[in-house]
Amino acid sequence: MREMDEEGDNILLQDNYYQLLNVAKTASVEEINSAYRRFSRIFHPDKHSTDPNKQKWAEQIFNKIKEAYEVLSDSHKRAIYDTLGKRGLEVDGWEVIFRTRTPREIREEYERLKREREERRLQQSANPRGTITLSINATDMFMKYYDEYDILEESAVIPSVEVSGMTIQQSIDAPVTLRNTVTLSGNISTQNGIGTGSLTVSNRHLSSDRGWTELECGIGNGPVVGFKIFRTISRLMFVNCGTGLQFTSRGIMPSFVSTMALQLDAHSVGYLTYRAGSGAGSSLTSTYVRDSQRHHVSASVQLGSPHSFVSLHLVRKLTDHDLKLRLAFKMGTFGAIVEYGAEKKVSQNSSVSAAVMLGVPSGVMLKLKWSCSSQSVVLPIHLCEEVMPSPVFYATAVPIISWLLLKKLLLDPIARDKRERERQRSMEANFERLQEMQRQARATIELMRETYSRIKSDEEKKKGLVIIRAMYGKLPQGASDHDASSEPIGDGVEVSHAEVIDVTIPMQCLIRDSRLELLDASKTIE
C-alpha cells in the first residue's frame, strides 16, 4: 500500500476523525458506535497495563479515538466538523446554535462568533489612530521666482525645497464599559510659521441596538462642546446629527451637521448632508456611492457658500494584484481639479499610494501616502503653481520608476526571504510532527499485534483473506515493495525508509468476515 497524495510542503498533519475510526463520511450512528467499540477493545489502556510503555501509547491513541467518537456521534458537533473542520469546534459560543441549523447557517454563525471574538480582543486594548502630514513646497524646481535682491545675485544651482507645513493627528480609544467608549484625540499643525493645536475628549454611548449618542468637549481656538446622535430608522436608512458650540474671543459660534443615508441596493448608498455654522457658511451635499468587488464609484453635488461643486471619483480594484487605480474630477466655484493615481498593498497591513492632482488655480501637486495598520504618513508636494508639461511628467514618471526600483531591489528580496523562512519553519514543524506520527504509528502497530494474530489465525482456518504484505508511504523512485524493507521482520513492523511504513498488521486488523474495510482517502492499493 502506498500513499499517493503528494502535497509538497503543505502536508495535512491534523487528525481526521473519520479516518481515525475508519468510517465513511456518510457513516450512520450505528456504524460509528460499532467502530468505536471495535477500536476500544484494541487500544483501551487497561488492556496493556502489564507494559507501562505500551500503556502510555495506548492512552494517547485511545484519547484520540474517543475525541473522534464524541464529535461524530453528536449530530450537532458532526455538522459543525463537516462544515468547518476542527477549527469550527474551537470557537466559543456554539451552545447558542440550534441543532437544526443548515451548514450555511452554521458557517454564517461561525463567522459572526469569530467577529465577536475579535471585537472583544480589540476592546481589551487601545485602538490608536494617527496621521502625519508634511506639506512640501517644491515649486522652485519648475518655476523660479526672483525679487530685487536675487537679481543682484547669481541663481542657485540647487532649487529650494522646503517644508511649508506639518500636521500631526492622533487619537486613542479606551473602552470603559460594554456600552461606553472614551476617545482622546489631538491635533497639532503649523503652516508658514504659524502653529495651532487642539485637544478633544469624547464619550460614545451605545443607547440601543439601533443607535448611539456621543458627547465631546475640547480646547483649541477656544473651548468647544458638542453632541452627536446616530439612529437607525429602518433596515435601509439611518440618520446622523451633530451640533457644537465654539467659544471664541469673537463670541459663540454654533455649528450643525446632519446626514441621512439610504441603502439603494446591495452595492449602492445615497447620502444627503447639510452643514451650517462655525463661520464656514452653509451647504447641502448629495452623494451617491456604489461599491462592488471590482469598482468603487462616488459622485457628489454640493450647493452652498462659500463654494459649490460637482465631483466624480472612480476606483478600479485589481484584487489579483492588490492594486487600486484612481481617477477623480472636481469642478466648482473654486476652480477645477483632476486627480489620478494608484494604491498598492505592500503587506497584509500596509500600503503605499501616489496621486497627481492638476488644478486651476492650484497647479500641479504630487501626493504620496504610506499607511501601516491605523497609522499614516502623507506627503503633499506642491510642484508648480501652473499646469505645465514638465511637472506633470515628473510627477507621473518618478513615483512609477521609484516604485519599480524599490520593489526590485528591496521589497521582492525581503518577500522572498520571508517566504523561505516560513517554508523552512513549516518544513521543520512538519518534520517533527511526522516523526511523532511515525513513532505513534509504530506503537499502534505493536498494540494491534495480539488482535492481528487472532484475526489472521481465524482467516487461515476458514481460508479467508490474509494480508501477506502492505506498505504505506512513498517509496524511493525505482524501488519496489520488496526494496522498502532492507531487514524484513516477521509480521512486519520495521520502517526501512523515512517515508515508508509496513502496515501489514493494521491492514489485517481491518478485515471483517474475509472483507477488507478500507476508506477512499489518501490510501490506495497497488
Side-chain angles (χ1 to χ4, degrees), residues 17-28:
Y17 289 157
Y18 290 100
Q19 291 182 10
L20 281 173
L21 295 179
N22 195 47
V23 295
K25 292 193 68 174
T26 57
S28 63

Side-chain angles (χ1 to χ4, degrees), residues 221-499:
N221 186 19
V224 177
V225 294
F227 179 77
K228 297 179 182 178
I229 184 171
F230 172 88
R231 183 70 178 176
T232 301
I233 306 301
S234 66
R235 189 174 60 89
L236 302 177
M237 180 183 295
F238 71 83
V239 174
N240 188 1
C241 298
T243 183
L245 296 175
Q246 183 177 10
F247 300 86
T248 67
S249 58
R250 294 173 295 175
I252 301 177
M253 303 179 64
S255 63
F256 177 78
V257 179
S258 178
T259 300
M260 182 178 67
L262 177 64
Q263 184 85 32
L264 303 177
D265 56 42
H267 301 285
S268 302
V269 181
Y271 299 89
L272 186 64
T273 303
Y274 175 74
R275 294 182 178 89
S278 293
S282 60
S283 63
L284 182 64
T285 306
S286 177
T287 304
Y288 169 80
V289 178
R290 180 173 179 81
D291 193 4
S292 64
Q293 186 177 0
R294 295 182 176 272
H295 298 89
H296 177 89
V297 180
S298 175
S300 298
V301 177
Q302 176 174 306
L303 300 176
S305 63
H307 294 297
S308 299
F309 65 83
V310 294
S311 66
L312 179 64
H313 187 194
L314 305 174
V315 177
R316 177 70 167 91
K317 302 176 184 179
L318 304 176
T319 54
D320 294 339
H321 303 282
D322 292 327
L323 182 66
K324 295 180 180 179
L325 302 179
R326 304 179 183 274
L327 177 63
F329 171 78
K330 190 174 183 179
M331 183 175 65
T333 54
F334 57 85
I337 296 176
V338 175
E339 177 183 346
Y340 58 91
E343 179 182 345
K344 173 67 176 178
K345 187 176 181 181
V346 179
S347 64
Q348 184 177 0
N349 298 315
S350 62
S351 63
V352 294
S353 64
V356 180
M357 290 179 284
L358 312 176
V360 178
S362 57
V364 181
M365 181 174 289
L366 172 63
K367 185 177 181 181
L368 304 177
K369 183 178 180 180
W370 174 74
S371 299
C372 182
S373 187
S374 58
Q375 304 295 318
S376 301
V377 177
V378 183
L379 295 176
I381 306 174
H382 197 183
L383 298 177
C384 188
E385 294 186 354
E386 297 180 6
V387 179
M388 301 172 59
S390 55
V392 174
F393 171 78
Y394 284 107
T396 304
V398 171
I400 296 176
I401 296 174
S402 300
W403 164 253
L404 294 177
L405 292 176
L406 180 66
K407 185 175 184 297
K408 183 71 175 179
L409 300 178
L410 184 62
L411 297 180
D412 285 349
I414 292 176
R416 284 195 299 269
D417 292 343
K418 182 179 179 180
R419 288 195 299 268
E420 181 61 27
R421 288 195 301 269
E422 291 177 350
R423 191 181 72 88
Q424 190 67 27
R425 284 196 298 267
S426 177
M427 290 178 61
E428 292 174 358
N430 279 349
F431 178 76
E432 294 176 359
R433 175 66 172 144
L434 281 172
Q435 293 296 312
E436 176 63 23
M437 292 175 67
Q438 287 187 354
R439 287 192 292 269
Q440 189 177 88
R442 298 187 187 101
T444 303
I445 291 174
E446 285 295 332
L447 295 173
M448 301 175 78
R449 186 178 292 277
E450 182 179 346
T451 303
Y452 161 78
S453 300
R454 176 178 56 81
I455 294 178
K456 181 181 179 182
S457 177
D458 293 342
E459 292 295 324
E460 287 177 343
K461 289 179 181 178
K462 61 181 180 181
K463 296 182 180 181
L465 178 59
V466 177
I467 303 296
I468 303 300
R469 187 174 180 82
M471 305 301 298
Y472 180 83
K474 184 172 64 176
L475 293 175
Q477 189 173 5
S480 64
D481 290 350
H482 297 287
D483 296 330
S485 179
S486 56
E487 297 181 4
I489 296 179
D491 294 335
V493 294
E494 184 69 21
V495 177
S496 62
H497 189 267
E499 298 182 358

Side-chain angles (χ1 to χ4, degrees), residues 93-143:
W94 280 118
E95 62 275 6
V96 303
I97 302 180
F98 297 106
R99 296 175 181 270
T100 55
R101 295 244 172 149
T102 64
R104 179 178 178 181
E105 291 173 328
I106 291 174
R107 182 175 294 278
E108 292 175 352
E109 188 69 11
Y110 168 80
E111 296 296 337
R112 185 186 68 80
L113 291 171
K114 183 178 179 182
R115 286 194 300 269
E116 290 183 355
R117 185 175 61 177
E118 290 297 321
E119 290 173 359
R120 290 194 299 268
R121 183 182 64 82
L122 291 175
Q123 287 178 354
Q124 295 174 356
S125 61
N127 182 25
R129 301 182 302 276
T131 301
I132 299 176
T133 303
L134 294 176
S135 300
I136 299 176
N137 188 348
T139 56
D140 195 49
M141 297 178 60
F142 300 97
M143 181 177 290

